[in-house]
Amino acid sequence: MGGVSARARRENVIRAAIAEFAIAGHHGTTTAAIAERVGVTQPYLFRLFRDKRAIFVAALVRSAEDTRLAFERAADGVEGSERALQVMADAYARLISTQPETLLMQMQGYLAVAAAEAQGDDLIGEVVRAGWTSTWEAVHVALGADGEKTAGFFACGMLGNTLTAIGLPVNAWR
């Protein structure tokens, strides 16, 4: 990775970590696997991140940002209109079909919250809740601050997430 800035390497590590954590979760993923995927040594990972937990947190943050940004970009210029809901749903469908690790990383985050908090670690929960809240707010604004539309959007989205994660077609029951 010669000639690549530390910032770009950090981003590459986060993207590699998302791919690894999405499949094996926080406890099942090794830093060796992340380092191998990105093409750096483990010691280099720890120059960029304090520990595996810090890498996991960065992956959670990036995954949530990717989702929020997909909604914001899709709704740009159509906020508050009937079209906003459809363009955001389409954008999310594209995101999880082209980058399924984004969805799986989010789900790994949801799973990790209870386990971490049972061990007295509140950071994972704080990060996951902040990402969720940020995404909710972006969608809520795009849907004209309509609470029922926002709740319905997320309810359908979570159903779609579940169906996708277990390998069923999203439109199976329409």
Side-chain angles (χ1 to χ4, degrees):
M1 295 187 75
V4 177
S5 71
R7 183 177 183 175
R9 285 186 186 182
R10 184 177 172 85
E11 181 63 23
N12 290 338
V13 168
I14 293 169
R15 294 288 174 197
I18 289 170
E20 293 295 329
F21 288 131
I23 301 303
H26 181 245
H27 293 294
T29 298
T30 65
T31 56
I34 297 168
E36 182 177 333
R37 180 178 284 265
V38 79
V40 299
T41 63
Q42 279 183 287
Y44 187 79
L45 281 184
F46 295 118
R47 286 178 33 205
L48 297 172
F49 296 91
R50 179 179 63 256
D51 54 22
K52 185 170 89 167
R53 180 174 166 258
I55 300 170
F56 187 68
V57 166
L60 289 168
V61 168
R62 177 69 72 247
S63 178
E65 285 175 354
D66 289 347
T67 301
R68 178 186 49 79
L69 287 171
F71 291 140
E72 288 176 349
R73 289 177 182 139
D76 188 31
V78 296
E79 297 92 339
S81 72
E82 290 301 316
R83 192 159 172 255
L85 189 139
Q86 190 59 54
V87 298
M88 288 190 300
D90 292 346
Y92 187 66
R94 274 191 309 278
L95 176 66
I96 65 173
S97 68
T98 60
Q99 297 176 36
E101 66 277 6
T102 301
L103 165 61
L104 297 174
M105 183 68 211
Q106 290 171 18
M107 295 188 130
Q108 290 290 354
Y110 303 154
L111 290 170
V113 171
E117 289 181 350
Q119 296 177 9
D121 180 356
D122 294 333
L123 178 61
I124 303 294
E126 290 168 8
V127 168
V128 170
R129 287 186 287 273
W132 173 260
T133 300
S134 173
T135 302
W136 172 277
E137 289 170 357
V139 169
H140 190 62
V141 167
L143 294 177
D146 183 315
E148 285 190 35
K149 280 186 183 177
T150 306
F153 182 84
F154 277 92
C156 288
M158 291 305 285
L159 174 60
N161 287 349
T162 302
L163 294 173
T164 299
I166 64 174
L168 291 174
V170 172
N171 59 359
W173 285 276
R174 287 188 181 186

